[in-house]
Structure formats: structure tokens, C-alpha cells
Amino acid sequence: MSDDAGPEVSVRAHEDAAAAPRAGRETTPRRTTGPGRRWTGGRLIWAWVLTRLLMLVICFAPGYPLSSTMSDAVLYHEWGPALADGRFPDDDVRWQYPPLAAVPILLPRFLGGMYGITFMLCALAADFAILYLLRRADRSPAGAWCWIAGIFLLGPTCLFRFDLFVTVPVVAALLWLGRHRLFGVLMAVGALMKAWPVALALALRRDRTMIRVAAACAATGALVAGAVTIAGDGAWGFLRSQRDRGAQIEAVAATPINVARWFGWDGQVRYRYGSWELVGPGVDAALAASFVITLGGLALLAVPVLRRDPREWTPAAGADAVLAGVLVLVVGGRVLSPQYLIWVLGVAAACLATAGTRQRPAAALVLVAAALTHLDFPILWVALLKEGGFPPIAVLALRNALLVVATVLAVRAVWRRPREGAPRQGAAAVRR
């Protein structure tokens, strides 16, 4: 090589060295903390504060059905003394919850003050915890906006149900999919508060990840289950009440019966097992339809989840499958209480916060369904129970139809292959 090539080689080497950090920055995701991100985070906080203040104004406004909104909190307060003494109220058919549900129910009692107000403040803290998880700088703000808007649209009822507490570990698990053992712990904790978080299993890859998650979940579940069985009396009595439940008036499968009420359906609406159920002709068919919808939907969802090549798995694919699974459980359930939308909103927000999600159409429909749910309960609730007229039944039927469409779209999204270039969880993922 001639001496003339020396300077040229030196310049090229210098340019390559300068370009290397730029290439590293382009290929390695880093958290962005620039002014734009900070401004977005500030707007999210202010939007959360303003919408939650408005929710409280609506809740305590004259004429708003506050008694219906706070009904579950009143029931929690009633169960408090027995739970504090280590006795689960298994002799009360309204007790429908796994043993860890006692934790958020007892928390306001231990903190003191008026139970309803303290419970509401604890629920707001859980609500904000979910927002905090969603607004991290390296995630899409769409998830946080979905959560803020969805809970606001669903209304003040959210603040007097313990489902916000259950949703915290589920959202955390979906956003920390790379932390496999922590994921298993969070799944076990969620399932022992309310059974639906078992749907998190749909997020797992078919590889050794499943073994780590299953081991952590089983160990946590066994430890907690053993502790509550020893420390508490009647911890598993809720299973009996769940088995005997009928068709709740708001369930999707009960929609044809509600429409039949316009034409003089020969049946009744009765308060049983902590909810208002339909009793009369067609109810057995509705219960059978619920079973078929749930079983068929989960089977249809299991096919793409089990067949997917682990190399094609992405965090978005995992979160999308969980949203589809939760929607199937909600649409196919015999009970569809308004607080069930909290579950769907939490998982939908986690999907939107994950790059590469295909669940945006389903999430948009869920937001509209949340607004209609607020209109159904508590605003039109008394009319739905007593009169069964056109406005309340039409609102309920439209809400259920939107949830069915959202479920179909969500399951369809899971069947589609992941997008090319979508972020994947490789060998460098954090595992704990």
C-alpha cells in the first residue's frame, strides 16, 4: 500500500468510529426523556387529575344514583368484621371471590376513616398506579390515554369496586413480559384475587419461558393458598356460589330474553347470588349459550396461540392474545357486571402501550362500550330492572353487540401473523 493511502484510511477509520455510536443508537432501543416525552407525561397526569375530579363531581351531584354506585362498597364494609377475624363469609351467597380479595376489602378498614371514602381513595391510588405503569417514557402514550378515557367513560362505579386492584398486577405483568418469574408471581396473585387473570397464560411463548412462569405461578399460588387455608375459615366456599349462579340480566347471552321483555316475556327479574338474574323461559338456553360461547371462543383462540412458532412471538402478540381471551370470558360469562369492563380496559391499555399491537379497533369499541355501560348502570338501571322499556334495553343490547364485535376483531387479530419488524423478545430479554 502506498503512503498516499494512509491519510485516506485514517479518515475512513475516524468516520467509522464516529458512525458506530450512531448505529448503536439506531439499533438499540433507549428510553427517551426529551421535552416532548416529558410534556406528554405532564399532560397525562393533568388529564387523569381532571377526569377523576370530574368523576367525583358526577358521583356526588344531586340526582345521581349514588346508592347504586356504592352498593358493592357497602357490601365490602359488611363483610369486614368477619374477614378481620379470619373468617370468610362463605355462608353468604354474595361472596363470590377467591381468598386474596380480602386484601383490598380489608385495606380501608385498617387505614381508618369512613369506609366508603377510604375505599374510594385506595381505588384512586390503584387507578393512578396503572397510569404510572402505562406512562413510562419508552411506551406508546396511547395506552395511558385509553386508560384515562376508559375509566372516565365507565364512571364513578369503578371507584367503589375492588376490580381496579385486581387489574394492577395484570397490567404490570403484561408490561413486564420479559421478567418471567415476576410474571408468574403476578399471575398467581391476580388469579387469587379474582379468577380472570388466568387469561395471562395466553401471553406466554411455547418454550422454556412457560416452565419458568409456571413454576413461579405454582409456587406463589401454593404458598398463598396454603397460608389462607390455614389462617382463614371457609376460604374456598366461593366456588359453591359460583357454580349455582344463573343468567344475569346484563349478560350477553341474556340479550334475547331482554328483548323478549318488550313482548311480554313470562318471567321475572330476581336478586340472587349478589346480582339481578333472569328467571323464566329461555334462561336455561341462555346459560347453555354462555357455556358454548366461552368454550368455543377459548378453543378458537387456543389454536393460533399453541401453533405459533416461538420465534414469531412478540410482546404485542402476547398482550393481544390476553385481550382476546378476557373479551371471550366477559362475552361468554353468565354474569357481566359493569366493573368487568375495568378488566378489559386495563388489558386494552396494555396492548396499546405495546409496540406492534393489532388490537386498536377492538380497544376503540371497548371505549364506546364503557360509555354505554355507564349509561346502563347506574343511570338507567332502575328502569331496566322494573320497566324493561325500550331505552334501557336498547342501550344494553347495543353495548353487548359492541362487545361481541370487539371480541371477534380481537380473536381475528390473534390469528394474524406478527408484523414484520415488530419488536421481539430475544435472548437478551431480562429474566428474573
Side-chain angles (χ1 to χ4, degrees), residues 373-419:
T373 301
H374 185 193
L375 191 57
D376 167 62
F377 183 92
I379 296 174
L380 295 176
W381 183 242
V382 174
L384 176 67
L385 293 180
K386 294 184 177 180
E387 303 167 10
F390 177 80
I393 290 181
V395 168
L396 181 58
L398 179 58
R399 191 281 303 268
N400 288 347
L402 287 175
L403 288 177
V404 170
V405 175
T407 304
V408 172
L409 293 176
V411 174
R412 179 176 178 270
V414 176
W415 274 82
R416 299 171 66 187
R417 293 174 66 87
R419 289 191 179 97

Side-chain angles (χ1 to χ4, degrees), residues 100 214 223 328 339:
L100 277 191
L223 181 64
V328 167
Q339 62 267 25

Side-chain angles (χ1 to χ4, degrees), residues 295-310:
L295 189 62
L298 292 177
L300 189 63
L301 188 58
V303 173
V305 171
L306 294 176
R307 290 179 58 187
R308 175 165 292 155
D309 188 329

